Amino acid sequence: MSIVAGDHSTLGAAYDGQGVNFAVFSENATKIELCLFSHDGQRETVRLELPDRTGAVWHGYVPGLKPGALYGYRAYGPYEPDRGHRFNPMKLLADPYSRAFHGDWTSAKETLGYDPDAPEHDAKPSQIDSAPFVPKSIVPEIEVPWDKTPAPRRSWSETVIYEAHVRGLTQLHPDVPEELRGTYEALGSEPIIAHLKDLGVTALELLPVHAFLDDGFLVERGLTNYWGYNSLGFFAVEPRYFGPNGAEGFRQAVDRLHAAGIEVILDVVYNHTAEGDHRGPTLSFRGLDNAAYYNLQASHARYYVNDTGCGNTVAIRHPFVLRMVLDSLRYWVTVMGIDGFRFDLATTLGREAHGFDLHGGFFDAIRQDPVLRQCKLIAEPWDIGPGGYQLGGFPADWGEWNDKFRDSTRKFWRGDAHAAQELAGNFLGTASVFDHSGRKPFSSINFVAAHDGFTLADVTRYRERHNEANGESNADGHGHNLSDNCGAEGDTKNEAILARRALRVRNLLATVFLSQGTPMLLAGDELGRTQRGNNNTYCQDNETSWINWAQADTDLLDFARRLIALRRDNAVLRQDRYLHGQVRADGLPDVTWSSLEGGALNWRDSSLDGFCLQIRGVAEKTISEDGTVLIVVNGGDDDKRLVLSEPGPDLCWERVLDTAAPDDPAHRITSRKSQPISAHSVVMFVGKRADI
């Protein structure tokens, strides 16, 4: 089999109908070999040196080679860990641009690039060939651009995000065909789509589906990496969720979700890789060019910068590494049909040599990219590196997970002092954090529960975490949960406690969906899902994490539907500008605060436990176009009487929601008498035309 120079412009393996071009980046290697394997991946059949190099790209073209061929690379160069170089041609390396892999990743010691028995640990290179112990990259077919149902292009103002796990959402659904449960095909099945549409969801945000590895320490405990934040293949669909149609099943699911008007957002992990720290395996990036792909400590290049807490940090500042990330993102949009991305530990991606920079290379590249700038982009706005907490610091067209919203909402409904002031800010999109630089209220992704932490039900069921099943002596997971068991830890038959929990769940949900910003719901929270107090189920691929549809709380589901419908039907709840009491064209302010008695609020009162918030449409619109709502919050232990404000000319109030009486139908208020407001409740009124 022969090889000729080929082309450097397209990285990865590309079939042109006559043969395959291979191109791979490494600026510090001295030689790179292409290794081809038998169809079962067990035997290396030929080894070909890439014959040409253009800049830092090594490339070659193999005439006659076809899609489906299995391959990997061996990279030659110095093995000098103290200088950041860990080349070892005994280690077969995955192509960073692999579209798919043949075989499974394991934690075999043979994948270590160093000799673990040497006195200085990683100072001596391993002499064991890793090829029998690692998957092989697969030459892909000629790629076909996305030609299925176009993206729904839902506006931010109408977006309702549903955060879910492929298997967790579908594995136990009784109406999903058994052979499809836990697969990509299940995401596009009729029962799942019917649930999402009935609920009112407009965007499905999936936990990682890039190819990832099970951590070695988890395998030793008999566990797996359930969440998937351990990526290795940024272009490959994770095969553990394959159904009968393999990777095509993922595209089919996206197609069907699009047809239902539902966008698909991927949670992506470009901040670190599964190769871990200096003791980890050599699988791809480390062996191709450790000093280029990773940020190394300036004082000792043997060790990695660990801004991620996962052992290494991807060197996004490097032009070719940045190119890889952008190529990956574009691939998922243009080939797989994805509508947006949630970036795990996004601060890492924006950190330049001098620190986090809103105008850094990563943000600039996305801002000018004609494909990516049209996507929904969401940041997890923190990491553990210097200056890592950056809530409110991302570009104007990005959304950000608002943990301040989560924490202050939990505090208030738990009964903490000084919490009402923060909760009031939540209802207006946390303007104190986001209202700058032309940002919009959608910037705040509002949530009270996510995959990482307690479920919504467990926020009211457990005071402490119960993570014993993780095998880490209950020391893992966050200890600052701002939760409360309402009188008993875990399960109880006490009716009063159960009622207290149910009311608090409704109040937490109501706060999310009645607030300005973008609401996000954790999958199963609308059904009362519990993880039995485990707030770190990253390794629990079992019924601890899967939604138990058979035990769904149908009353809570009805309430969640009603909340989302209220948000959808009242544009005043999802405005495109921040509200600060600006006087409208009709002479009325866009927002008015008052006490339940109708007087002014003392925001300095630490015992403040209730308020009224009347919101009208934006200043340039009339009240009849946008309507008005009155949100009443009573977080106290006593029932109160509400003195109703005037809804506006020719309007009357309709009481449309009461978390303390969720089954009460909406009804007009025809009397000017004060209205009852139960303790620990949220009540919402909508201004309606009096003559209708």
Side-chain angles (χ1 to χ4, degrees), residues 352-392:
E352 299 292 322
H354 56 275
F356 180 81
D357 189 344
L358 176 63
H359 303 290
F362 174 72
F363 297 126
D364 286 348
I366 287 183
R367 191 176 290 119
Q368 60 78 40
D369 190 286
V371 172
L372 300 180
R373 68 189 180 205
Q374 299 182 57
C375 296
K376 282 190 169 68
L377 304 172
I378 300 171
E380 181 183 40
W382 51 76
D383 65 13
I384 67 168
Y389 190 73
Q390 291 292 332
L391 182 68

Side-chain angles (χ1 to χ4, degrees), residues 21-332:
N21 191 82
F22 294 90
V24 62
F25 157 73
S26 178
E27 63 186 2
N28 290 302
T30 57
K31 180 174 75 171
I32 292 183
E33 292 175 333
L34 169 69
C35 303
L36 301 177
F37 289 82
S38 58
H39 70 278
D40 60 2
Q42 297 301 307
R43 182 170 52 88
E44 185 175 335
T45 58
V46 66
R47 192 177 294 193
L48 303 168
E49 181 178 344
L50 292 181
D52 205 355
R53 175 179 179 175
T54 303
V57 177
W58 302 75
H59 49 95
Y61 180 88
V62 181
L65 196 65
K66 298 184 182 302
L70 307 184
Y71 72 100
Y73 293 116
R74 297 184 189 273
Y76 292 76
Y79 186 87
E80 299 174 351
D82 285 339
R83 294 181 55 213
H85 300 308
R86 294 178 178 269
F87 292 99
N88 185 343
M90 298 301 294
K91 304 304 160 183
L92 187 74
L93 307 173
D95 185 349
Y97 279 68
S98 295
R99 272 30 176 193
F101 297 104
H102 175 86
D104 299 321
W105 297 101
T106 69
S107 59
K109 66 178 183 180
E110 288 82 0
T111 63
L112 299 176
Y114 58 88
D115 180 357
D117 298 323
E120 296 182 57
H121 200 46
D122 65 333
K124 181 181 177 182
S126 166
Q127 298 303 313
I128 302 174
D129 185 1
S130 69
F133 305 94
V134 295
K136 315 306 184 287
S137 299
I138 304 175
V139 173
E141 300 280 351
I142 296 175
E143 285 178 352
V144 177
W146 181 258
D147 57 356
K148 299 179 183 295
T149 306
R153 300 284 184 201
R154 306 297 287 260
S155 68
W156 273 110
S157 67
E158 64 180 326
T159 296
V160 176
I161 298 173
Y162 190 79
E163 191 201 22
H165 185 283
V166 174
R167 181 168 292 146
L169 177 63
T170 65
Q171 185 66 40
L172 298 179
H173 199 297
D175 297 328
V176 172
E178 190 170 354
E179 67 275 13
L180 298 184
R181 294 175 190 172
T183 70
Y184 297 119
E185 283 91 342
L187 291 176
S189 67
E190 183 177 344
I192 296 299
I193 289 179
H195 177 75
L196 299 178
K197 289 189 66 176
D198 182 56
L199 186 57
V201 167
T202 70
L204 178 63
E205 182 178 307
L206 294 174
L207 267 66
V209 297
H210 287 175
F212 62 89
L213 278 64
D214 292 320
D215 315 67
F217 69 90
L218 291 178
V219 174
E220 291 174 2
R221 298 178 197 159
L223 299 170
T224 60
N225 190 315
Y226 172 65
W227 286 349
Y229 293 91
N230 202 33
S231 300
L232 188 72
F234 296 128
F235 296 79
V237 183
E238 171 54 44
R240 69 186 70 193
Y241 310 128
F242 280 174
N245 299 301
E248 183 60 24
F250 180 87
R251 281 168 45 95
Q252 292 171 358
V254 174
D255 178 37
R256 289 168 182 159
L257 287 160
H258 280 183
I262 298 171
E263 295 179 311
V264 181
I265 298 171
L266 293 190
D267 196 334
V268 289
V269 187
Y270 296 110
N271 57 80
H272 74 281
T273 79
E275 290 184 308
D277 65 13
H278 64 286
R279 299 163 297 182
T282 295
L283 304 171
S284 181
F285 315 101
R286 174 175 284 139
L288 284 168
D289 199 336
N290 185 64
Y293 277 104
Y294 295 114
N295 290 334
L296 307 179
Q297 294 184 17
S299 60
H300 199 169
R302 185 177 203 159
Y303 303 110
Y304 297 86
V305 171
N306 190 19
D307 291 339
T308 66
C310 300
N312 63 54
T313 302
V314 173
I316 296 294
R317 299 196 299 271
H318 193 290
F320 272 95
V321 179
L322 177 59
R323 173 180 169 181
M324 176 186 70
V325 171
L326 295 172
D327 286 348
S328 168
L329 292 169
R330 279 191 296 270
Y331 169 78
W332 286 94

Side-chain angles (χ1 to χ4, degrees), residues 600-612:
L601 287 165
N602 179 7
W603 291 112
R604 296 184 179 183
D605 181 2
S606 63
S607 63
L608 182 67
D609 58 13
F611 50 78
C612 299

Side-chain angles (χ1 to χ4, degrees), residues 223-224 226 469-470 534 536-542 544-546:
L223 299 170
T224 60
Y226 172 65
N470 295 354
N534 192 324
N536 190 31
T537 59
Y538 78 104
C539 57
Q540 297 296 322
D541 191 0
N542 51 52
T544 299
S545 302
W546 305 339

